[in-house]
Amino acid sequence: MANQQIGKLLSWYATAKRDLPWRGTTDPYKVWLSEVILQQTRVVQGLPYYERFITHFPTVSDLAKASEEEVLKLWQGLGYYSRAKNLHHTAQHIATVLGGVFPKSYQELVKLKGIGDYTASAIASFCYNEPCAVVDGNVYRVLSRLFGVQTPINTPAAAKEFKALANELLDKPRAGEYNQAIMEFGALQCKPQSPDCKGCVMNEKCLAYHKDKVDKLPVKLPKVKITHRYFHYRVISDTRGYTLMERRGEKDIWQGLYQFPLLETTGDLSEAEVYVLLKEKYPKAVDIALQPKAFLHKLTHQHLHISFWKIELAEVLAQGIPPTELEKYPMPVVMQNYINKDK
C-alpha cells in the first residue's frame, strides 16, 4: 500500500474509529481479553462481556485465581466455550509460570495456549508496536477487494497468501495504529454487505470497485455439512422440588458446562417414542410430560433438535439440587432460557 493510501487510511481512522474501552491501551491483558472475546463475536455483543470480565477480574492474576466455573458463568451466552477455558488456562500460566508478566514479543506470545497468529500479532503490535500484521475477517475482506484476490479466504493457502500481503503492506513504524486502522476500516467502511464504495477514501485504488466485483469478494468456499443431533433433556423433580444437573464432558460442544441429564438419540423420534424411552427409564414416575414443544437451536456446524421433559418422582434425590441454586452453574444459553421461562 503506497504511502498516500496509508495516509488516507490513518486519517480516516483518526476521525471514524469507535470509542471502545480497550482502544488506546497498551495493557496486554486488556487487549488479549478483548481479542479473545471478539473472536467470532460482534463488538456490540462482546462489549458487555468485556466490561463484566474487567470488573470481576481487573488483572490477569485476578482471572487466574478464579475457578473455571466462575469464568464459564461470566462467559455464558458467548458460545465457543473453549475460548473461555483457554483464556483461564493461559491466565494461570502467566500468573504462576511467568510471574504475572505478559510476554513482550510475538514469538513468545504465540506459544501460549489459545493464542494463535492473529491474537499474538494484535497484542504484539498494539502494545509493543512490533511490526506484525494482523489478519482477521475484516482485513481479509479489505485486502481481497483492494487487490482483487480470488483465493478463497477459508483455505490454508489463503492464510499464507493474505498474511504475506498484509506484512508487505504494513506501516512498520506505526504497526499498532495501522493494524487497528485496517481492521476498523473493514468493520465500518468495507462492510460485507452494501458498503459505501462511492464515499470510500480507498476507492481510487480498489480493484473490486473498478471491476464491479465488490459483492463477489472475498471468495469463500461453502460451509461444511451440517450435523443434526437430537437432545432430550430430563428435567427431574423429586418430592422436595429438587432437580439434577450433570457436567458435559470434553471434546464436544459446551464442554465443561452444566445441563439437565441428557438423553441423546441417533434419529428424530416422535414424542410418543421418546415418552416410551423415558417411561422405561423411570417406571415409577408420577408424571412425564414434554414442556414446551421441541425446538431447533443452530450452531455453526450443528443443528440441535432440543426438547425438555418434566419428570416428577415420588422419591428424594440423593444428589438433588434446589432450584434456587441453579443460577450458580454455568450452562448453555438454551438451558438458561428454559429455566428463566419456567420461573
Side-chain angles (χ1 to χ4, degrees):
M1 193 179 294
N3 289 336
Q4 182 182 8
Q5 296 300 110
I6 291 175
K8 287 183 178 181
L9 176 64
L10 294 179
S11 295
W12 173 90
Y13 177 67
T15 58
K17 64 182 178 182
R18 290 167 291 184
D19 183 17
L20 301 172
W22 53 81
R23 184 157 284 160
T25 182
T26 56
D27 182 344
Y29 170 63
K30 292 180 178 179
V31 172
W32 171 55
L33 179 61
S34 70
E35 292 301 332
V36 173
I37 288 175
L38 294 181
Q39 290 171 19
Q40 297 142 328
T41 302
R42 295 179 299 114
V43 168
V44 67
Q45 181 188 8
L47 181 56
Y49 284 89
Y50 173 85
E51 292 174 336
R52 283 198 290 271
F53 264 85
I54 289 297
T55 299
H56 282 80
F57 313 122
T59 68
V60 69
S61 296
D62 293 319
L63 178 57
K65 292 173 186 175
S67 68
E68 184 178 280
E69 289 188 2
E70 288 179 284
V71 175
L72 289 174
K73 185 63 180 177
L74 278 185
W75 194 271
Q76 184 174 297
L78 265 180
Y80 298 95
Y81 288 89
S82 60
R83 290 185 291 168
K85 294 169 75 72
N86 288 337
L87 186 79
H88 189 225
H89 177 277
T90 297
Q92 292 177 325
H93 177 80
I94 292 171
T96 55
V97 179
L98 303 183
V101 179
F102 258 84
K104 291 182 170 55
S105 71
Y106 169 90
Q107 292 298 335
E108 293 302 314
L109 285 162
V110 81
K111 295 177 183 178
L112 299 176
K113 186 173 184 178
I115 295 185
D117 172 78
Y118 162 74
T119 306
S121 297
I123 298 171
S125 64
F126 297 174
C127 300
Y128 311 122
N129 205 41
E130 185 176 345
C132 304
V134 169
V135 182
D136 69 347
N138 291 314
V139 176
Y140 271 119
R141 186 166 55 258
V142 172
L143 296 184
S144 176
R145 287 173 174 172
L146 277 176
F147 296 94
V149 182
Q150 302 281 340
T151 307
I153 61 174
N154 54 342
T155 62
K160 294 181 180 179
E161 182 178 355
F162 279 88
K163 183 70 173 181
L165 177 58
N167 274 318
E168 181 183 338
L169 300 171
L170 182 65
D171 182 14
K172 293 180 173 59
R174 297 174 289 185
E177 183 182 8
Y178 171 86
N179 278 335
Q180 292 182 78
I182 195 169
M183 291 166 65
E184 191 78 336
F185 188 78
L188 300 183
Q189 176 64 44
C190 195
K191 299 184 293 185
Q193 305 295 329
S194 304
D196 177 19
C197 293
K198 290 184 178 180
C200 177
V201 298
M202 307 290 277
N203 63 18
E204 183 181 343
K205 298 292 185 179
C206 180
L207 290 181
Y209 176 61
H210 290 291
K211 294 183 178 181
D212 196 26
K213 290 186 175 181
V214 172
D215 62 339
K216 297 178 176 62
L217 293 173
V219 176
K220 195 171 185 179
L221 295 179
K223 292 181 179 180
V224 298
K225 183 180 178 181
I226 298 295
T227 300
H228 288 263
R229 299 175 70 179
Y230 303 88
F231 286 8
H232 312 282
Y233 286 110
R234 295 169 282 167
V235 187
I236 301 169
S237 178
D238 69 6
T239 54
R240 302 166 298 174
Y242 284 23
T243 190
L244 292 176
M245 298 287 282
E246 63 183 16
R247 196 178 192 194
R248 290 188 62 84
E250 302 295 320
K251 298 181 181 179
D252 197 359
I253 59 170
W254 303 332
Q255 56 181 327
L257 299 187
Y258 286 81
Q259 63 185 11
F260 294 115
L262 173 65
L263 168 65
E264 181 174 359
T265 57
T266 56
D268 186 11
L269 303 183
S270 68
E271 180 179 339
E273 289 172 320
V274 177
Y275 179 87
V276 169
L277 292 177
L278 295 176
K279 190 63 178 177
E280 290 176 353
K281 178 72 174 177
Y282 306 98
K284 296 183 179 179
V286 175
D287 187 40
I288 299 176
L290 174 64
Q291 292 185 346
K293 292 182 179 180
F295 62 93
L296 180 64
H297 182 71
K298 295 182 179 180
L299 302 178
T300 306
H301 303 308
Q302 298 186 32
H303 285 183
L304 309 180
H305 302 261
I306 296 175
S307 62
F308 289 90
W309 290 80
K310 285 192 173 183
I311 302 173
E312 294 184 22
L313 303 179
E315 59 186 81
V316 173
L317 295 168
Q319 304 297 322
I321 301 169
T324 54
E325 292 187 9
L326 292 179
E327 288 293 334
K328 299 178 182 178
Y329 293 85
M331 60 184 70
V333 67
V334 293
M335 200 73 48
Q336 187 68 65
N337 289 343
Y338 173 81
I339 292 172
N340 290 343
K341 289 180 181 178
D342 203 41
K343 286 181 179 178

